[in-house]
Amino acid sequence: EGRVSSVNVRVGDPVKKGQQLASVVVPSIANAQAEYLAAEAATNEAREHAARETALLEKELTTAHEEHIARAEALKAQANLAAAQARLNVLGVEIPKSQKSIQGAGTVILRSPIDGVVVRRDAVLGAFLSPNEKALVVADPTELWATVNVFEHDLPYLKMGADVEILFDALPGKVVKGKVALMEPQIGSASRALRARIAVPNPDGSLKPGLFIRASVSLPEGISDRLAVPPAAVQPIGDEDVVFVERAPGVFEVRPVKLGHRTAQLVEIASGLSRGERIAIEGGFLLRGEVTKQ
């Protein structure tokens, strides 16, 4: 926890990687830096004392017990120094080199980790900032994520790296191309859909986060060559699935077919139908009724 001592940016400001955004005075960091310098001084003193005791012991001017105590104190001081350094490392603070180097002790500089734009600023000058609060949010608007929901029966047609064309409800006529960059590992229990993310280039910044989109995903290689028909074209008769192939105007042949993968928009035909044949799409239910009457 600390007090915000300066804020240098506003929402919408472009920033560069490493640019100072704000500074926060954190008392716990000031204490940790002071403890480190005290531990460092104590360690140097203990080492010098141990070295003097060793030299005196060689001249038989002190006892082995005193020399042993001095070495133990030096080791203890070294351990305290290591602990003080570890605390600074955990806090992400540089180790101070001298007492002068901690003038303005505890001041933490918040710098932008990337080139981007400030999209949120919660830090208020003079206010306290707790560890679980965001100070600022910086985003890179030159590449956005488009998130689409893919229903489970469409998953066989979705592959990593697939080309995608994206349309925007708010921007009629604008088409942006991207690629499937990420597929979440599980399907939502309520939506029965998997979320896929598409990397969308946005060099001019015209696209804004939150826009509703429609995505058209290219089929994987080989799948686009499969024969498929609308679901309404396939009708069940007995234990078979059939389509009605037009032989002449108003004359249809009942053709049993073997089905492959089925979705809400299409049904793959594994066998029984050839590409280019004319089939009944609408009215298949009525044709099935005529067949069953016979």
Side-chain angles (χ1 to χ4, degrees):
E1 185 176 79
R3 182 176 58 83
V4 179
S5 57
S6 69
V7 182
N8 305 328
V9 293
R10 296 174 298 181
V11 173
D13 286 351
V15 294
K16 295 293 185 181
K17 182 177 180 180
Q19 180 177 332
Q20 180 174 333
L21 307 179
S23 59
V24 183
V25 177
V26 183
S28 60
I29 289 180
N31 293 336
Q33 290 175 322
E35 289 173 3
Y36 175 85
L37 289 176
E40 185 179 44
T43 299
N44 293 335
E45 184 178 350
R47 286 173 178 169
E48 291 174 1
H49 180 60
R52 286 196 300 270
E53 287 294 323
T54 300
L56 290 173
L57 181 62
E58 292 174 354
K59 298 177 181 179
E60 298 182 353
L61 297 176
T62 188
T63 64
H65 177 68
E66 292 295 331
E67 191 268 346
H68 176 73
I69 292 176
R71 284 194 294 109
E73 289 297 326
L75 290 175
K76 181 180 178 180
Q78 181 66 35
N80 291 336
L81 178 63
Q85 181 175 342
R87 282 193 292 272
L88 291 178
N89 290 338
V90 169
L91 292 170
V93 180
E94 293 183 359
I95 296 171
K97 297 180 174 59
S98 66
Q99 187 68 35
K100 292 182 179 180
S101 67
I102 62 168
Q103 290 180 355
T107 297
V108 177
I109 305 300
L110 303 183
R111 301 184 183 278
S112 177
I114 60 172
D115 293 344
V117 174
V118 178
V119 297
R120 179 174 171 178
R121 194 193 88 170
D122 293 341
V124 178
L125 183 63
F128 272 84
L129 195 67
S130 63
N132 61 345
E133 290 181 306
K134 290 184 178 69
L136 301 111
V137 178
V138 177
D140 178 7
T142 60
E143 183 177 80
L144 303 178
W145 288 110
T147 303
V148 296
N149 293 321
V150 183
F151 293 110
E152 54 185 316
H153 50 65
D154 289 325
L155 290 179
Y157 303 119
L158 183 71
K159 301 296 180 183
M160 285 288 295
D163 293 325
V164 183
E165 287 190 349
I166 299 174
L167 306 176
F168 302 86
D169 291 355
L171 303 171
K174 186 176 183 64
V175 179
V176 176
K177 295 184 178 182
K179 291 183 178 292
V180 176
L182 178 67
M183 295 168 58
E184 292 187 351
Q186 64 184 24
I187 294 175
S189 58
S191 64
R192 305 310 306 163
L194 177 145
R195 284 156 54 95
R197 291 182 179 178
I198 302 159
V200 181
N202 185 33
D204 59 356
S206 61
L207 305 179
K208 307 300 181 185
L211 287 173
F212 284 103
I213 66 163
R214 304 175 192 275
S216 175
V217 184
S218 298
L219 292 173
E221 185 177 354
I223 290 182
S224 58
D225 297 330
R226 299 177 187 176
L227 183 61
V229 299
V234 180
Q235 297 292 328
I237 296 182
D239 295 332
E240 294 182 317
D241 293 302
V242 304
V243 296
F244 297 97
V245 181
E246 186 181 47
R247 288 303 184 189
V251 179
F252 294 89
E253 171 193 346
V254 180
R255 180 80 61 80
V257 292
K258 298 294 183 183
L259 304 183
H261 186 68
R262 180 192 292 261
T263 75
Q265 288 78 34
L266 58 85
V267 178
E268 291 184 8
I269 304 297
S271 63
L273 188 66
S274 299
R275 195 177 297 273
E277 291 187 289
R278 291 171 57 84
I279 61 174
I281 302 299
E282 298 180 358
F285 180 80
L286 296 176
L287 292 173
R288 186 185 71 175
E290 292 297 321
V291 172
T292 53
K293 285 179 184 179
Q294 302 174 10

